[in-house]
Amino acid sequence: MLLKDKVSIVTGAAAGIGAGIAELFAEHGSTVYLIDLDGDGCERVAARINAAGGTAYAHTGDVSRVDSVIGATQTAASRHGRIDILINNAGIYPRRPFLEMEEAEWDQMQDVNLKSVFHLCKLVVPHMIAQRSGKIVNLSSVTFFKGLANLCHYVASKGGMIGFSRSLARELGPHNVHINCITPGAVKTEGEIIHAQPDMLADIQRCQCLDRRLLPVDVARVVLFLASEMSDGMTGQTLNVDGGLILY
Ligand SMILES: NC(=O)c1ccc[n+]([C@@H]2O[C@H](COP(=O)([O-])OP(=O)(O)OC[C@H]3O[C@@H](n4cnc5c(N)ncnc54)[C@H](O)[C@@H]3O)[C@@H](O)[C@H]2O)c1
């Protein structure tokens, strides 16, 4: 029970890594607010958590629009008087060669993957400062270190998350609010199945130290560490969860 009585918000929690984080957090005693564009998926994950004895609330919302997510944060804060943990996980990763990329596609990528982090932090950080504690974890990507063709808009957004987190860590440290990033490698999720080609995934696995596909729970466990008091001495850091794809 690493998160007993904590109140968490997890974005993009209807599927993949976000659903894995929400379920693991609930197992560890946290009340979890799930936000996702996919309202039905979000309800399904919340129902699964509640049926297993946890406490979860589903909110349909688009993280790129502040008016769409403010309700979830206000409900959490007024119901519990606090918000302890924010996990910025919602993200998109459609591939597009640079020369074919439209400005609207670039903007959408930045809005969903990066501006959303600005919106959610704006809504949640005042509560964390007032309670003099808080944990924020942002899901970046190992592609920031490696680069990846046809994803320059995505990799730019994920690098932006790391820069944002380092800077905010300096600002929020005096208030005992921690902000860290995780850079997952190739994780078997609903989104990855749509966007990645099987031969590319096989190549990535050959380059990992660990000879297996990563699963959402592999990432969720490290997010749990960063959300719990186990990581109280850390902020502004980026942890790689990639099966040993890059070593540094
Ligand atoms: N799967 C991987 O291999 C991998 C690798 C590195 C980083 N990541 C990052 O981890 C995060 C989760 O990835 P995943 O593979 O689980 O994705 P996924 O596509 O399986 O799930 C993402 C969830 O986010 C939701 N979402 C998308 N846009 C949204 C919006 N505007 N508002 C609210 N919800 C929205 C989707 O509905 C979906 O439920 C992403 O930020 C992704 O960039 C994933």
Side-chain angles (χ1 to χ4, degrees), residues 215-235:
L215 301 174
V217 70
D218 292 311
V219 179
R221 287 180 179 144
V222 184
V223 177
L224 172 65
F225 164 71
L226 287 177
S228 77
E229 65 179 16
M230 303 287 281
S231 58
D232 273 358
M234 293 175 62
T235 192

Side-chain angles (χ1 to χ4, degrees), residues 11-19 21 35-39 41-42 59-65 68-69 88-93 108 111-113 116 138-143 154 157-158 161 182-196 201 213-214 216 219 241:
T11 70
I17 294 170
I21 294 168
I35 301 178
D36 204 292
L37 257 186
D38 172 6
C42 215
H59 284 264
T60 308
D62 177 350
V63 292
S64 68
R65 291 183 24 234
S68 183
V69 291
N88 287 305
N89 164 79
I92 52 173
Y93 39 97
Q108 192 198 12
D111 286 353
V112 174
N113 289 9
S116 60
N138 296 326
L139 274 290
S140 176
S141 166
V142 79
T143 56
Y154 173 79
S157 73
K158 293 299 179 180
M161 282 175 120
I182 290 192
T183 48
V187 185
K188 195 173 177 186
T189 63
E190 288 86 335
E192 194 214 49
I193 287 162
I194 295 167
H195 295 298
L201 295 175
R213 297 300 320 282
L214 293 172
V219 179
V241 185

Side-chain angles (χ1 to χ4, degrees), residues 36-171:
D36 204 292
L37 257 186
D38 172 6
D40 291 342
C42 215
E43 293 284 358
R44 275 196 298 275
V45 176
R48 221 156 54 214
I49 290 172
N50 291 324
T55 307
Y57 300 96
H59 284 264
T60 308
D62 177 350
V63 292
S64 68
R65 291 183 24 234
V66 69
D67 60 326
S68 183
V69 291
I70 191 169
T73 59
Q74 282 178 340
T75 305
S78 61
R79 195 178 276 150
H80 309 277
R82 57 190 300 111
I83 299 175
D84 300 293
I85 297 162
L86 167 63
I87 310 300
N88 287 305
N89 164 79
I92 52 173
Y93 39 97
R95 300 165 74 80
R96 179 75 77 197
F98 173 64
L99 291 178
E100 294 170 20
M101 195 180 290
E102 304 284 344
E103 185 178 350
E105 293 171 301
W106 171 272
D107 286 345
Q108 192 198 12
M109 185 68 83
Q110 308 315 319
D111 286 353
V112 174
N113 289 9
L114 185 56
K115 198 170 181 188
S116 60
V117 180
F118 169 83
H119 288 322
L120 267 301
C121 287
K122 276 270 190 192
L123 293 170
V124 167
V125 163
H127 299 284
M128 293 180 165
I129 289 177
Q131 72 210 20
R132 277 204 62 77
S133 71
K135 298 272 187 174
I136 300 168
V137 183
N138 296 326
L139 274 290
S140 176
S141 166
V142 79
T143 56
F144 173 64
F145 300 115
K146 287 181 67 69
L148 194 57
N150 304 324
L151 274 174
C152 72
H153 50 351
Y154 173 79
V155 176
S157 73
K158 293 299 179 180
M161 282 175 120
I162 294 176
F164 174 91
S165 306
R166 287 181 180 173
S167 192
L168 202 56
R170 295 225 177 259
E171 230 171 295

